[in-house]
């Protein structure tokens, strides 16, 4: 019989210190989510001010994604060994300094260096912050509530980043999309120093250097290859060359981990049913939601003629649905179990996305339909995020939480990098160059239909193969995760 997760007793309450810790950690996670999208609207202005060419402007985004995705797993393991709080503080300090440098940059090289540093800071803070969160709250109701709020703020931050970037760029300057992190980072850094307790693995084994090198280079090559699709297409050596290198490096990493006495990522964790299928679900929901945001942006601006600021306001409904999804996630999980909540969240995201295919069949645009679909889709998306995070970190001992949360964070970063190139390629393959509103409508609605179908397939696979671990006992966090 399939095991299901049950909530801890309802009368358990957070202590004052747990509440303060949660505020600091959620603030940091939300800030990094905003950072991922805040520059989107400002990119053309940055290009004009600093002299970026059209072909090189995408490196403002790609340089960040490369560092964040490539180093996340390594930083998650380092946090287990050296201390999660220590790495969290170092990452927040790096973010604050690099944001100041980026805001004052006068040349493309300095700005790109600042973006790389921000990506490194993301790789340091996200997994260490998540590990601090999961080790601060025991498995069950309290952890589910904390992860629910975290998921809500992640998607709310991602959705609101473009709006905030547009407001800051229009009213002040694009430089404030960087500089806003300086006071926020300083406040969170100070609060974390005093409020968060250190957490690390009880033993400090030697770091698996060959494994660290191969997995980091492999992930860098993977993200570089995928982000090359928009510029060069799938058939270009600039795309498939890095992807082949990524496959070879990740295969070498697997072989190294089989033989390493103290592996960077113990294969028993990578093979665990909950870790494997939880991260698969996370990859699907994040990649397809970021791809959907791209397609809807094209539809709203190039078909309906909305301004970037108006488009950002439209995405505010997605953010509202996301916030409510995170708020109610713990209640849904308590009633349905984590597996049920994960499948329901993915299915709701899939159905509301697929329904927007009919925008291309309607005789007149329906803004209210778009708002309702994105609102409900945002609710399902964040419910899936919370459930996948709980799933992928359950049944893993506390001393390996940095690795488990590093995997979930790496999944997020890779998914964000995959979603837009894949959906862009699907749309272009169907309709060819998107010249004119009719072609854009045809391409985006087809891409939206494919997007919904992929998420629905993901929900079906999770329903068929995921076997969650039980968390009813007090020692559940210490038991090995189930394996396929």
């Amino acid at each position: 019989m399939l095991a299901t997760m049950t909530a801890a007793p309802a009368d358990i309450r957070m202590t004052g210190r747990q509440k303060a810790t949660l505020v600091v950690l959620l603030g940091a996670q939300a800030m990094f989510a905003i950072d991922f999208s805040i520059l989107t609207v400002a990119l053309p202005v940055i290009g004009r001010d600093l002299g970026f060419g059209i072909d090189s402007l995408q490196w403002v985004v790609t340089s960040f994604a490369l560092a964040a995705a490539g180093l996340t797993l390594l930083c998650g393991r380092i946090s287990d060994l050296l201390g999660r709080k220590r790495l969290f503080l170092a990452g927040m300090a790096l973010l604050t300094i690099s944001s100041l440098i980026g805001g004052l940059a006068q040349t493309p090289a300095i700005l790109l260096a600042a973006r790389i540093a921000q990506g490194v800071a993301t790789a340091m803070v996200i997994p260490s912050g998540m590990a601090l969160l999961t080790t601060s709250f025991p498995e069950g109701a309290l952890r589910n509530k904390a992860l629910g709020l975290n998921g809500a703020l992640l998607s709310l931050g991602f959705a609101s980043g473009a709006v905030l970037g547009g407001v800051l760029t229009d009213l002040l300057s694009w430089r404030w999309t960087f500089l806003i992190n300086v006071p926020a980072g300083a406040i969170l850094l100070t609060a974390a120093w005093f409020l968060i307790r250190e957490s690390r693995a009880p033993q400090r084994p030697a770091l698996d250097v060959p494994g660290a090198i191969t997995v980091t280079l492999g992930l860098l090559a993977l993200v570089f290859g995928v982000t090359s699709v928009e510029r060069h297409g799938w058939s270009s050596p600039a795309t498939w060359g890095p992807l082949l290198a990524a496959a070879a490096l990740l295969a070498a990493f697997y072989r190294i981990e089989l033989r390493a006495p103290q592996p960077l990522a113990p294969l028993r964790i990578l093979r665990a049913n909950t870790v494997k299928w939880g991260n698969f679900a996370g990859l699907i929901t994040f990649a397809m939601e970021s791809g959907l945001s791209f397609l809807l942006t094209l539809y709203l601006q190039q078909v309906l003629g909305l301004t970037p600021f108006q488009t950002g306001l439209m995405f505010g409904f997605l953010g509202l649905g996301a916030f409510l999804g995170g708020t109610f996630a713990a209640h849904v999980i308590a009633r349905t179990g984590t597996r049920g909540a994960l499948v329901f969240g993915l299915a709701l995201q899939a159905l509301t996305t697929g329904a927007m295919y009919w925008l291309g069949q309607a005789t007149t645009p329906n803004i209210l339909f778009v708002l309702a679909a994105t609102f409900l889709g945002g609710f399902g998306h964040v419910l899936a995020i919370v459930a996948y995070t709980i799933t992928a970190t359950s049944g893993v001992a506390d001393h390996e939480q940095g690795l488990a949360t590093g995997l979930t964070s790496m999944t997020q970063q890779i998914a964000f990098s995959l979603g837009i190139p894949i959906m862009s390629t699907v749309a272009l393959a169907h309709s060819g160059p998107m010249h004119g509103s009719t072609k854009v409508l045809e391409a985006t609605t087809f891409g939206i239909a494919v997007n919904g179908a992929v998420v629905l397939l993901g929900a079906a696979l999770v329903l068929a193969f995921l076997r969650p671990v039980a968390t009813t006992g007090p020692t559940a966090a210490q038991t090995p995760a189930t394996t396929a």
Side-chain angles (χ1 to χ4, degrees), residues 44-51 106 173-175:
V45 182
I46 293 173
R48 289 195 301 268
D49 281 2
L50 296 186
Q106 299 297 322
S173 164
W174 66 264
R175 296 183 182 278

Side-chain angles (χ1 to χ4, degrees), residues 26 49 68 70 179 248 284 346 349 375 454 461 479:
L26 293 187
D49 281 2
L179 295 176
I284 292 294
L346 289 171
Q349 178 181 334
F375 174 83
V454 170
L461 291 173
T479 61

Side-chain angles (χ1 to χ4, degrees), residues 128-206:
S128 59
M130 284 295 295
L132 286 168
L133 191 151
T134 56
T135 55
S136 296
F137 300 93
E139 284 193 46
L142 285 184
R143 185 183 291 183
N144 293 354
K145 182 178 181 180
L147 290 174
L149 292 172
N150 179 74
L153 288 177
L154 275 177
S155 283
L156 185 61
F158 181 78
S160 62
V163 181
L164 180 60
V167 171
L168 291 174
T169 302
D170 285 344
L171 298 183
L172 298 171
S173 164
W174 66 264
R175 296 183 182 278
W176 281 96
T177 61
F178 284 90
L179 295 176
I180 194 173
N181 283 336
V182 177
I187 292 170
L188 289 171
L189 179 63
T190 303
W193 180 278
F194 290 104
L195 293 175
I196 296 178
R197 291 192 176 101
E198 182 58 282
S199 168
R200 63 162 58 90
Q203 298 178 342
R204 300 174 65 182

Side-chain angles (χ1 to χ4, degrees), residues 37 39-44 158-163 230 288-316 318 353 356 359 367 370 374 420 423-424 427 434 436-437 440-441 443-445 447-448 451:
S37 57
L39 288 181
T40 304
V41 176
L43 283 177
F158 181 78
S160 62
V163 181
E230 286 184 282
M288 292 301 100
E289 191 70 10
S290 66
L292 176 64
S293 298
F294 167 73
L295 294 172
L296 281 178
T297 297
L298 292 178
Y299 172 77
L300 293 171
Q301 293 188 23
Q302 298 189 30
V303 177
L304 300 189
L306 301 186
T307 67
F309 181 68
Q310 290 171 328
T311 301
L313 292 179
M314 292 284 290
F315 280 112
L318 188 153
T353 298
M356 284 188 280
L359 291 171
I367 293 291
V370 176
T374 54
I420 292 177
M423 285 296 99
S424 175
M434 289 185 275
S437 60
V440 172
L441 178 61
T444 53
T445 51
I448 285 171
N451 188 303

Side-chain angles (χ1 to χ4, degrees), residues 210-473:
I213 292 173
T214 52
V215 74
T216 299
L217 292 178
L219 291 173
L220 287 172
L222 174 64
V223 175
F224 182 81
V226 171
T227 53
S228 297
V229 173
E230 286 184 282
R231 289 171 292 143
H232 305 293
W234 287 100
S235 61
S236 170
T239 298
W240 54 257
L243 293 178
L244 287 177
L249 287 163
L250 294 175
F253 169 70
Y254 182 84
R255 292 184 63 84
I256 289 170
E257 298 307 281
L258 284 174
R259 302 174 182 178
Q262 296 177 328
L264 175 69
L267 294 181
R268 58 184 172 76
I269 291 181
L270 297 179
R271 292 170 177 163
N273 180 272
T274 50
V275 173
K276 178 170 56 181
W277 286 104
N279 280 288
F280 168 79
L283 183 70
I284 292 294
T285 188
F286 272 115
M288 292 301 100
E289 191 70 10
S290 66
L292 176 64
S293 298
F294 167 73
L295 294 172
L296 281 178
T297 297
L298 292 178
Y299 172 77
L300 293 171
Q301 293 188 23
Q302 298 189 30
V303 177
L304 300 189
L306 301 186
T307 67
F309 181 68
Q310 290 171 328
T311 301
L313 292 179
M314 292 284 290
F315 280 112
F317 279 80
L318 188 153
L320 178 60
F323 182 78
L324 292 177
T327 302
F328 287 99
H331 300 286
V332 176
I333 290 169
R335 289 179 174 273
T336 67
T338 308
R339 177 171 173 265
L342 180 54
V343 172
F344 175 72
L346 289 171
L348 183 58
Q349 178 181 334
L351 294 175
T352 53
T353 298
M356 284 188 280
Y357 168 75
W358 299 107
L359 291 171
Q361 316 305 314
T363 55
T364 57
N366 193 329
I367 293 291
L368 292 179
F369 178 77
V370 176
L371 293 177
T374 54
F375 174 83
L376 292 174
F379 185 98
H381 172 59
V382 172
L383 180 59
I385 290 175
V386 176
Y388 113 77
T389 307
I390 295 171
T391 300
T393 57
S394 295
V396 178
D398 278 355
H399 71 274
E400 291 177 328
Q401 279 295 320
L403 172 59
T405 56
L407 285 169
T408 63
S409 302
M410 181 187 71
T411 296
Q412 294 173 23
Q413 299 299 333
I414 291 176
F416 281 138
S417 303
L418 288 173
I420 292 177
I422 289 176
M423 285 296 99
S424 175
T425 302
V426 169
L428 287 171
H430 177 70
S431 66
M434 289 185 275
H435 300 309
S437 60
T438 302
K439 277 290 188 180
V440 172
L441 178 61
E442 180 184 345
T444 53
T445 51
F446 177 78
I448 285 171
V450 172
N451 188 303
V454 170
V455 181
L456 191 61
L457 177 61
L461 291 173
V462 169
L463 178 62
F465 296 110
L466 173 64
R467 296 192 300 274
V469 294
T471 58
T472 53

